[in-house]
Amino acid sequence: MERKLMLFFLIQTASAASFDIQFLVSYGIQSLPEYTDVLFVDDIIMFYYDSISEIGEPRQDWVRTIIKEDPQYWEPQMELSKQCHLSMKATAESFKLPANQTKVHVIQQILGCEVDDDTKEITAFNHYAYNGEDFISFDFNTKTWIAHHPRAKTIKEQWDILYESNKERRNFALIIFPLWLQIYLRYGNSTLHRKDLPSVSLLQRTPSSSINCHATGFYPEKAIIFWRKDGEEIHENVEHGEILPNLDGSFQMSIKLNASNIPLKEWGRYDCVFQLSGVQNDLITRLDKDVIRTNWKEGEENLSVTSIAIIATMAVLTVLIIPIIGFFAYKKKKAAEPLNTQ
């Protein structure tokens, strides 16, 4: 199993065991703090800091335990965030493109290391993105930078000659980060290794609607769900849903299959598969009419259509009758008026 320590872009894909940190610097976006950093362990937020409050917030009970048992841990963490803010601000200035190209500047950084549990091999990485584009990354073997954007070539030349800074950057990722990871895994073991399988149900609103394979109560959120036919994953007539959080901290997700053109006798060839990261066995739910849950009652669809037809008919009659009633009322009123003999 691999352990990761990461500083990542806003859109993240992490492994089953990871330590993630996010740094974000933004300019010209009033709704966001200028600087934000968030530490993750296995996609779980453990620490949050931004440049408005300048006060870090532990987000897990086991992080509060670390602070309680080791008060000296917290101060360096706060100081690191403040220093990173200044560093990222200076980096943002050096990255800026000509002012007439954009007024909004956002820097996102991925910084981290990956530790293999078996071999103890450590792989470090440090990437920057600028305004949503891959910009520059650090090569930990050569202790030099790799430009991924034409504008980054000048930055590479400036940063390559910062030998001491690059050496410290390498040591921090290969020595300090793995030590942090060991501490976090020790204190947060029960949470970080938690694996909760979901309950999976087949849901259908009406006999003509799609069949929804719904999984809820799983943890962590690193999971996939898909429909397959004869053991092969299918994509046609399939609609994927998003992973959503539950109030208890677990997650839910669903995937729909339009089975309207699938003969009932062939339903047995289809099944819904749920896979949770770190769990070997899949949860497989066979497509079976008898296990589908629905609130629909026999005749409900026809009744609904009939009701709509009746309402439409009544509306048309109303439109026609009101003018007729008005016409006869007018004639009756005219008949009651005295004749004008002049």
Side-chain angles (χ1 to χ4, degrees):
M1 179 182 292
E2 294 177 343
R3 303 290 187 187
K4 282 187 179 179
L5 172 63
M6 298 176 60
L7 182 66
F8 63 99
F9 298 132
L10 284 179
I11 300 176
Q12 169 214 357
T13 302
S15 69
S18 61
F19 169 51
D20 308 305
I21 306 173
Q22 170 179 306
F23 287 86
L24 168 64
V25 175
S26 60
Y27 293 85
I29 305 177
Q30 299 298 321
S31 60
L32 293 178
E34 182 180 70
Y35 171 84
T36 304
D37 72 62
V38 184
L39 277 73
F40 288 80
V41 178
D42 284 356
D43 296 336
I44 300 172
I45 297 179
M46 56 160 288
F47 168 83
Y48 171 87
Y49 174 92
D50 66 49
S51 56
I52 294 179
S53 65
E54 294 188 341
I55 299 175
E57 302 175 17
R59 294 294 180 89
Q60 300 293 327
D61 289 338
W62 53 270
V63 180
R64 297 182 182 93
T65 301
I66 297 176
I67 298 170
K68 183 178 179 180
E69 295 185 0
D70 187 4
Q72 294 182 351
Y73 159 83
W74 195 242
E75 262 187 56
Q77 185 68 60
M78 293 301 94
E79 186 60 30
L80 176 63
S81 291
K82 292 176 182 179
Q83 292 300 320
C84 286
H85 176 203
L86 296 176
S87 175
M88 289 290 281
K89 191 170 185 177
T91 300
E93 291 298 322
S94 66
F95 280 12
K96 275 189 177 181
L97 296 171
N100 61 351
Q101 291 192 22
T102 178
K103 294 182 179 179
V104 177
H105 303 280
V106 178
I107 288 190
Q108 298 155 297
Q109 186 183 17
I110 298 179
L111 170 62
C113 70
E114 181 177 291
V115 181
D116 189 287
D117 276 352
D118 299 324
T119 64
K120 305 304 178 184
E121 182 181 357
I122 301 171
T123 305
F125 42 89
N126 187 352
H127 304 276
Y128 285 92
Y130 180 63
N131 290 341
E133 294 183 350
D134 196 16
F135 197 73
I136 194 169
S137 63
F138 186 67
D139 187 329
F140 283 86
N141 293 321
T142 63
K143 295 190 287 292
T144 58
W145 293 87
I146 302 171
H148 302 288
H149 189 282
R151 177 70 179 85
K153 293 180 180 179
T154 303
I155 306 298
K156 167 184 164 55
E157 294 174 358
Q158 296 172 352
W159 287 6
D160 275 351
I161 60 176
L162 302 176
Y163 304 114
E164 289 301 317
S165 175
N166 292 333
K167 182 179 178 181
E168 290 178 6
R169 189 184 304 272
R170 185 178 186 275
N171 291 339
F172 201 83
L174 294 176
I175 298 174
I176 303 301
F177 281 177
L179 292 177
W180 284 3
L181 183 55
Q182 290 179 20
I183 295 173
Y184 300 145
L185 291 174
R186 184 169 71 247
Y187 278 89
N189 181 65
S190 59
T191 300
L192 299 174
H193 292 87
R194 172 184 164 193
K195 302 290 183 184
D196 294 343
L197 291 173
S199 61
V200 181
S201 304
L202 298 182
L203 310 174
Q204 191 177 33
R205 186 170 298 176
T206 69
S208 61
S209 60
S210 296
I211 299 171
N212 188 18
C213 182
H214 181 72
T216 184
F218 62 88
Y219 187 93
E221 64 177 316
K222 287 172 286 190
I224 59 174
I225 189 171
F226 57 91
W227 282 100
R228 67 183 185 183
K229 176 184 178 182
D230 297 332
E232 297 291 332
E233 182 177 355
I234 59 174
H235 303 282
E236 189 176 356
N237 298 321
V238 170
E239 180 183 349
H240 291 266
E242 298 180 357
I243 296 181
L244 301 173
N246 291 322
L247 294 177
D248 62 359
S250 64
F251 298 91
Q252 61 173 293
M253 67 190 307
S254 61
I255 185 169
K256 294 181 179 179
L257 171 67
N258 184 352
S260 58
N261 294 325
I262 303 176
L264 190 59
K265 63 182 181 180
E266 294 187 11
W267 277 26
R269 301 171 62 186
Y270 293 80
D271 48 44
C272 175
V273 181
F274 175 88
Q275 296 177 343
L276 183 65
S277 179
V279 176
Q280 186 174 2
N281 297 325
D282 301 339
L283 291 181
I284 301 174
T285 306
R286 184 75 62 183
L287 181 57
D288 187 341
K289 184 177 180 181
D290 294 334
V291 302
I292 293 177
R293 297 167 59 182
T294 180
N295 292 327
W296 176 85
K297 297 178 181 179
E298 193 70 31
E300 196 167 296
E301 270 191 325
N302 293 333
L303 179 61
S304 176
V305 173
T306 303
S307 299
I308 293 173
I310 292 173
I311 293 171
T313 302
M314 292 298 293
V316 172
L317 290 176
T318 300
V319 172
L320 295 175
I321 290 172
I322 287 177
I324 295 174
I325 293 175
F327 173 74
F328 281 107
Y330 171 77
K331 286 190 65 176
K332 184 176 181 181
K333 179 181 178 182
K334 294 297 288 181
E337 290 178 358
L339 295 175
N340 188 349
T341 56
Q342 295 182 355

